[in-house]
Amino acid sequence: MLEEILELLSVPGVSGFEGPVREVIKAKAQWYAKTSVDRMGNLHAEAGGKGPHIMLIAHMDENGFVVTRIEDSGFLRFRTIGGWDDRCLVGRVVNLLTPKGTVKGVIGLLPPHLMTKPNEEMAKVLRTEDLHIDAGCSSAAEVQGLGVEVGTPVVLEKQPTMLRNNVLSARGLDDRVGCAVLLELLKRLHGRKLSAHLHYVWSVQEEIGLRGAQMLSMSHRPDAAIIVDTCSASDIPGVASHFSQIRMGGGPVIRFIDNRAIATPGLVAFVRRIAEERGIVIQMGISGGSTDGAMAQAGGAAMMPLGFPIRYTHSPVECVSLKDVEEMVRLLESLILEMDQGGWDAEKA
Ligand SMILES: [Zn+2]
């Protein structure tokens, strides 16, 4: 699956501008199922029969930026889209995604050599509004000539790197790994005669408030929704001891409580039972943040977010163990086959 994850990482999909990544996923999914795109931009692939309606959701959007102003000097000002940590932004390479193609830029910063009070200034975290993008241009006209305008989406350049023990590090693993997991399931279950109605969704605008899933919750009524997304691993230095213990490499996580939702107990119990029967080690996580599951649940579905442990969430060096990803696929495949055989009681909350 590494190859597929890397391919999905290589295409941008800033929240609200998911077109490029959607095209790549759609081109792959349509070999295995009927695909469609709704008005908001969520990509759907449906397979199987008329049995229980099982929706699997992974969000394809990623955090990014948008150009807000082009200065006469050619420097660009911008605002964030999604939950960034401003400490991660300075000194990075960015890609400006214009209709004419990608324009490279850097998020510049004042060097100590040009500071009036270096000790004070270097201790400060620079906020987005203090920063600028430098595309190497010397006037507004030159930047505009490249296709950059107010509203141009921007992404940090990704640098996928393999660490020891099959750990992949890159920005955007949240949630391109989830997108790849859904594609893998679609492939593995293809050709099986299933009575369950399998409904795969690659959702939009998750990072700016679960917007794509909100629309889904109003337009579809699945019996169960399983959300494939991250769960922050707490096995790194500096984490306070009251956070739940989630280990990268320790197996997929049932993210049963987060800031916006509590997973449906009956579904959680079912997943725990199947994992145990199949010898799949899982972790139970209580996390901050939220997933598309909050919306699916509000729409009436039994809901459970299944997370792959991720270190350094939303930073340029997110880390994921590929072993966890493989185990996650194995667990999801088992769950779906069991649900298909009537092993899950949809009425039992
Ligand atoms: Zn996510």
Side-chain angles (χ1 to χ4, degrees), residues 59 61 173-176 206-207 227-230 255 290-292 308 313-314 318:
H59 68 88
D61 62 310
L173 294 175
D174 171 13
D175 190 23
R176 295 299 162 77
E206 192 269 355
E207 297 287 6
I227 288 62
V228 181
D229 205 339
T230 64
R255 183 171 161 162
S290 57
T291 72
D292 280 341
F308 46 89
T313 317
H314 285 189
E318 291 176 340

Side-chain angles (χ1 to χ4, degrees), residues 56-58 178-187 200-202 228:
L56 295 140
I57 311 175
C179 293
V181 166
L182 257 57
L183 278 171
E184 183 67 19
L185 274 175
L186 184 58
K187 278 181 219 169
Y200 302 83
V201 179
W202 290 269
V228 181

Side-chain angles (χ1 to χ4, degrees), residues 107-124:
I107 300 180
L109 73 165
L110 205 62
H113 314 64
L114 298 176
M115 288 175 179
T116 349
K117 296 175 183 160
N119 289 344
E120 276 172 43
E121 289 176 58
M122 283 197 290
K124 241 180 29 189

